Every structure is written in structure tokens, then in C-alpha cells.
Amino acid sequence: MTGTGVVSKLASDPRHFQIFSLSCLVALQMFWADFGPSLFVAFLAVGGCLFFQLVFSKLFSVKLDLRSPLISGLSLSILLKASVLWLYPAAALITVGSKFLIRFRGKHVFNPTNIAIVVLVLLFPQIAWVSPGQWGQAAWLVFLLCCCGLLVLYQIPRRDMGPMFLLMWAGVLFGRALWLGDPLVIPFHQLQSGALLIFCFFMISDPKTIPDRFIGRVIFGALVAAVAYYIQFKMFRTDGLLIALALVSAFTPLVDLLLPGKSYSWGDRIHKHTQPKEVPICALSTP
């Protein structure tokens, strides 16, 4: 295969861009910042996801593909914080297990990394947590994360979800500031969060767990923003976005039933001047 053929093959599946981007973020945390995971923690998270993917693939007689669990393991390394090491392989088990066990019409219902983090944070609040402010507000880091996110979304047909939700959440934050009479520097500061950008570009934008139809994704994003607002500003939890995504994702099958659209398979590409027809979901896909 020629060099051009290799590049074309890599570009045909957005997971390759996700792996590259997340690997860069993990390396950045490890070697250029004080808040990153240790090499052993990354090994437990990534290795655990790869191991359980192998186990479940054998159990369900599914062709082994290590790209998705690699993405999940890297995401766990970045977002999950724990004071005991056994939580990382436990998170890996929930992450991979949810893809195989909680499915509807060929789609896994929950974003795997999201549901694992939410379950552990709610069950073990004293030893598991997320740190939304861990990335700080440095402009260069925000720019880097934006670039990585756009690099991923460039190849994903449903790339509207991430930027659309970011605009929705910005509207929530600025609307709240105006209602309370707060200076607008506050919502600007709240938006300058690496964790928020990771959520928008790597989690809520997952094409395998969001509604298939555009109007369904609009409703989905609005519900996540509304629930997250209540959790974050009424219940005073800093992990409101993650919990909101897990709660609203439980209703994605209902949205897909009411507003059916074309299901997504890894490697699907959008071609210019070609609009896919909206059809009911019928085909099973590989976890």
C-alpha cells in the first residue's frame, strides 16, 4: 500500500484522529503539567479497557477491534481521578461492559467513558472524582484542545453536536450572568475550561450514542444543558455535565424511535453534495 493509500485509510475512520488527539493530551498531562495521571494509572485504564474488550469480544463472538477501547482508556486516564488504584480497572470493566450489555437496536445507549465515571463518582464519592478545573484557563491550552477537537470532528458526519452544545452551554452561562447581574467576565472564565472542551469534542459528540437525526440532537443537547444547569447551579456539583449526559442518554432510544434517522457506523464519511436519507435504525453494529 502506498503512502497516500495509508493516509487515506487512516483518514477514513475518525477513531484514528481521536486516538492521536487523546494520546497527545495524556502525554501533555504526564510530562508538561502537574495534574496528569501517572504512567501506571494510564496503564491500568488503557490496559483494562483493552483486556475487557478482548474478554467481551470472545464472550459475544464479536470481531476484536481495539480502537474504541483504546479511546475509552485514554479518556478515563484524562478525566477520572481516584485515590485507590482498583477503581481504574473497575472503570474499564464498566466502560467496556456497558457497550456490550446496554444496547438498543445496535447502538450502545450510554457513552462508555461517561457512564463509567458517573457510576463510580456517585457510588464512591470519597475516593473517585473528576476535576473540571484541572486544565486551567491558559489560552494556549484552550487553543490546543480546540484544534484537537476540530481535528476529530472533521471526519465525523455528526460533527454538529460538539459545537452546537458548546454554544448552548455558553448561552446558559451568559444568560445566568445577565439574570444575576454578574460581570460577563465570569461566564467567559467558565468557558475557558479544557474539561468543557473535552466534554464537547470527545464525549457528547460520540456519534454512536447521540440521536441519529439532527432535530433529535438539538433536543438532546438542550436537555443535557438544562439538566446540567440544575445539577451544577442548584445542587452545586461540579460534575453536572457528566451526570446530565448520563441521565439524558437513557432517553436516546426514545428520541430515535420518535425521530428515526440513519444509524452511524465507524468509517462513514460525508460526501459533498450528498445528503443521507433518514431511515429507521435496523442494522446491528459492532461494539
Side-chain angles (χ1 to χ4, degrees):
M1 184 179 295
T2 64
T4 303
V6 172
V7 172
S8 177
K9 183 176 178 62
L10 290 175
S12 67
D13 194 312
R15 288 175 293 182
H16 301 138
F17 291 91
Q18 289 179 315
I19 292 169
F20 171 77
S21 301
L22 291 171
S23 296
C24 290
L25 294 178
V26 171
L28 177 68
Q29 282 190 311
M30 281 184 177
F31 303 112
W32 285 279
D34 298 326
F35 47 74
S38 67
L39 188 61
F40 188 59
V41 163
F43 171 78
L44 287 176
V46 175
C49 286
L50 296 178
F51 171 75
F52 287 119
Q53 182 75 21
L54 175 62
V55 170
F56 279 98
S57 295
K58 291 287 187 181
L59 290 175
F60 286 82
S61 300
V62 172
K63 181 181 177 181
L64 180 63
D65 189 332
L66 297 179
R67 288 172 292 187
S68 290
L70 180 54
I71 291 168
S72 297
L74 291 169
S75 299
L76 285 175
S77 300
I78 293 171
L79 294 172
L80 180 63
K81 304 298 177 185
S83 58
V84 291
L85 292 177
W86 64 265
L87 279 178
Y88 291 99
L93 174 59
I94 297 171
T95 296
V96 178
S98 69
K99 293 194 300 179
F100 285 85
L101 301 176
I102 310 176
R103 300 177 66 83
F104 179 78
R105 290 191 173 185
K107 291 174 59 176
H108 41 272
V109 175
F110 299 100
N111 176 279
T113 306
N114 172 253
I115 192 63
I117 293 175
V118 168
V119 167
L120 293 179
V121 166
L122 293 181
L123 288 180
F124 307 102
Q126 302 301 320
I127 56 176
W129 69 94
V130 293
S131 180
Q134 64 176 318
W135 292 93
Q137 277 73 38
W140 67 271
L141 183 53
V142 172
F143 178 75
L144 172 63
L145 294 175
C146 282
C147 290
C148 290
L150 291 174
L151 180 66
V152 171
L153 293 176
Y154 178 76
Q155 290 293 329
I156 297 180
R158 286 155 193 175
R159 56 183 178 267
D160 49 50
M161 188 72 247
M164 179 170 63
F165 181 79
L166 186 59
L167 290 175
M168 288 180 178
W169 190 241
V172 168
L173 296 179
F174 278 98
R176 179 175 182 271
L178 292 173
W179 176 262
L180 297 176
D182 291 338
L184 295 184
V185 68
I186 293 178
F188 271 119
H189 183 76
Q190 292 168 326
L191 288 173
Q192 292 175 349
S193 164
L196 172 62
L197 294 176
I198 292 174
F199 178 85
C200 292
F201 291 122
F202 295 93
M203 191 168 284
I204 198 174
S205 58
D206 177 10
K208 296 289 287 182
T209 56
I210 56 178
D212 293 318
R213 199 163 182 170
F214 175 74
I215 186 61
R217 294 194 290 276
V218 173
I219 296 171
F220 180 82
L223 286 174
V224 172
V227 175
Y229 174 86
Y230 182 83
I231 295 174
Q232 185 161 326
F233 296 110
K234 300 298 183 181
M235 300 177 67
F236 306 107
R237 292 189 64 106
T238 57
D239 50 9
L241 286 171
L242 296 175
I243 297 176
L245 177 59
L247 292 174
V248 177
S249 292
F251 296 95
T252 300
L254 177 61
V255 175
D256 280 336
L257 280 176
L258 298 176
L259 299 168
K262 184 178 184 297
S263 60
Y264 176 82
S265 295
W266 289 116
D268 286 353
R269 304 279 300 271
I270 279 185
H271 300 282
K272 292 183 178 180
H273 311 301
T274 301
Q275 196 68 15
K277 293 178 64 178
E278 299 284 7
V279 296
I281 306 168
C282 57
L284 291 177
S285 58
T286 301

